[in-house]
């Protein structure tokens, strides 16, 4: 009989379900709960081991016959934007991001619903209610921040604030060795702005300013075209069988 320390995390395995990224594949996940005063330290450790956070759950793929999901983190001190990324920064030069506590609002939820209906109408989050959204934002026992991006209003030069319409939102964790982008969404009608790319570039800068080495982007799914954007931000590291390995740059 194996004895367990009362504060040791317990891990669980989900049943197989159809993979949302690769046709014909089935996914399974191993997960544990992030609760109590040890949650931040546990998240640090698990993220370095390829886990992701959703509310108070840390999970990672545990598929039986597929290893397409690869954890990705950007080396922020070495990163330099490409020409196309510099154009994205220039295009969005009229935006301002304010980072604050993870607190949901009706304005955020309205934008979140528009984003889902446009980009993920048949995805697993399509039926989320305002209460579900509030839980996604608030249900965290780690250092979670909400960054809201708006157009710079007429008073921006005076007081550094912006009361213009909400353009994009990012929910992110701050850990001991970096930032981790948990979820982000934006105005779907502003496709020309490449707001998803812009938010990653903004997070690279925020991570640098915090003096932290990594920006965690979650999983790159080899073979899924919609996830290929993650490997554009080089140099980065991928979590492989022998540990984190440099990729690109």
């Amino acid at each position: 009989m194996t004895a367990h320390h009362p504060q040791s995390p317990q891990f669980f395995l989900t049943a197989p379900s159809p993979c949302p990224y690769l046709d014909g594949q089935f996914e399974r996940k191993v997960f544990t709960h992030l609760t109590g005063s040890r949650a931040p330290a546990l998240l640090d450790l698990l993220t370095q081991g390829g886990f992701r956070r959703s509310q108070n759950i840390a999970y990672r793929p545990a598929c039986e016959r597929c290893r397409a999901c690869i954890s990705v983190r950007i080396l922020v001190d070495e990163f330099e934007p490409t020409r196309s990324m510099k154009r994205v920064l220039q295009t969005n030069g009229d935006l301002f991001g304010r980072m604050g506590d993870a607190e949901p609002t009706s304005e955020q939820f309205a934008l979140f619903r528009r984003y889902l209906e446009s980009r993920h109408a048949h995805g697993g989050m399509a039926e989320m209610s305002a209460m579900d959204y509030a839980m996604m934002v608030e249900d965290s026992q780690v250092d979670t921040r909400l960054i809201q991006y708006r157009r710079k209003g007429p008073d921006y030069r005076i007081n550094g604030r912006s009361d213009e319409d909400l353009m994009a939102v990012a929910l992110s964790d701050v850990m001991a060795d970096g930032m981790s982008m948990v979820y982000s969404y934006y105005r779907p009608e502003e496709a020309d702005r490449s707001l998803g790319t812009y938010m990653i570039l903004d997070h690279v800068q925020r991570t640098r300013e915090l003096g932290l080495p990594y920006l965690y982007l979650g999983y790159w799914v080899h073979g899924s075209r919609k996830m290929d954007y993650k490997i554009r931000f080089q140099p980065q590291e991928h979590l492989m069988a022998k540990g984190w390995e440099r990729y690109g740059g």
Side-chain angles (χ1 to χ4, degrees):
M1 181 176 179
T2 302
H4 293 278
H5 190 282
Q7 290 189 327
S8 296
Q10 295 186 8
F11 292 86
F12 307 89
L13 188 64
T14 65
S17 61
C19 177
Y21 300 107
L22 300 176
D23 292 338
Q25 295 287 352
F26 286 82
E27 69 169 1
R28 300 188 78 176
K29 295 175 182 175
V30 60
F31 69 94
T32 190
H33 297 276
L34 296 168
T35 58
S37 60
R38 297 175 68 245
L42 181 58
L43 179 64
D44 287 348
L45 181 63
L46 292 176
T47 300
Q48 292 166 15
F51 280 72
R52 294 285 288 164
R53 184 185 71 82
S54 177
Q55 294 177 234
N56 284 325
I57 298 290
Y59 68 91
R60 67 166 295 170
C63 306
E64 296 176 357
R65 293 187 296 271
C66 180
R67 297 292 182 270
C69 293
I70 298 173
S71 294
V72 173
R73 64 187 187 187
I74 300 172
L75 299 169
V76 299
D77 289 336
E78 297 184 52
F79 174 80
E80 292 290 342
T82 64
R83 285 186 180 180
S84 63
M85 291 175 185
K86 290 178 180 178
R87 286 195 293 271
V88 170
L89 289 171
Q90 184 175 15
T91 298
N92 292 286
D94 61 335
L95 300 189
F96 172 74
R98 180 171 294 279
M99 184 162 69
D101 295 336
E103 297 176 349
T105 66
S106 57
E107 183 187 28
Q108 293 167 23
F109 180 66
L111 179 57
F112 175 72
R113 289 302 320 167
R114 283 163 55 195
Y115 173 79
L116 288 182
E117 290 164 6
S118 174
R119 300 293 299 270
H120 304 286
H122 303 291
M125 303 174 73
E127 303 302 320
M128 285 180 64
S129 65
M131 181 65 71
D132 295 328
Y133 174 78
M135 290 180 64
M136 181 180 79
V137 173
E138 292 180 319
D139 196 5
S140 170
Q141 296 192 34
V142 300
D143 187 0
T144 301
R145 314 285 180 89
L146 198 73
I147 301 97
Q148 301 186 75
Y149 299 88
R150 301 178 185 273
R151 286 192 178 93
K152 297 173 183 176
D155 296 332
Y156 177 78
R157 291 184 180 275
I158 300 172
N159 57 27
R161 299 187 64 85
S162 175
D163 296 318
E164 297 295 303
D165 290 342
L166 187 64
M167 298 289 289
V169 176
L171 185 69
S172 304
D173 293 335
V174 179
M175 303 180 301
D177 69 346
M179 292 188 72
S180 175
M181 297 186 70
V182 177
Y183 192 78
S184 60
Y185 57 93
Y186 50 85
R187 285 192 173 198
E189 65 271 21
E190 299 279 357
D192 290 347
R193 284 182 174 267
S194 299
L195 287 166
T197 296
Y198 171 70
M199 283 189 282
I200 294 176
L201 294 171
D202 180 70
H203 274 68
V204 167
Q205 183 60 32
R206 291 178 185 276
T207 305
R208 279 184 183 146
E209 291 172 356
L210 289 170
L212 301 172
Y214 305 118
L215 175 61
Y216 290 87
L217 295 184
Y219 302 115
W220 167 52
V221 183
H222 185 59
S224 173
R225 291 184 61 187
K226 64 182 179 181
M227 300 295 271
D228 279 349
Y229 73 91
K230 294 187 178 184
I231 57 172
R232 295 173 51 224
F233 299 85
Q234 299 180 20
Q236 59 184 229
E237 291 183 339
H238 293 180
L239 184 57
M240 311 303 289
K242 295 183 179 179
W244 290 96
E245 298 180 4
R246 188 183 182 92
Y247 179 92

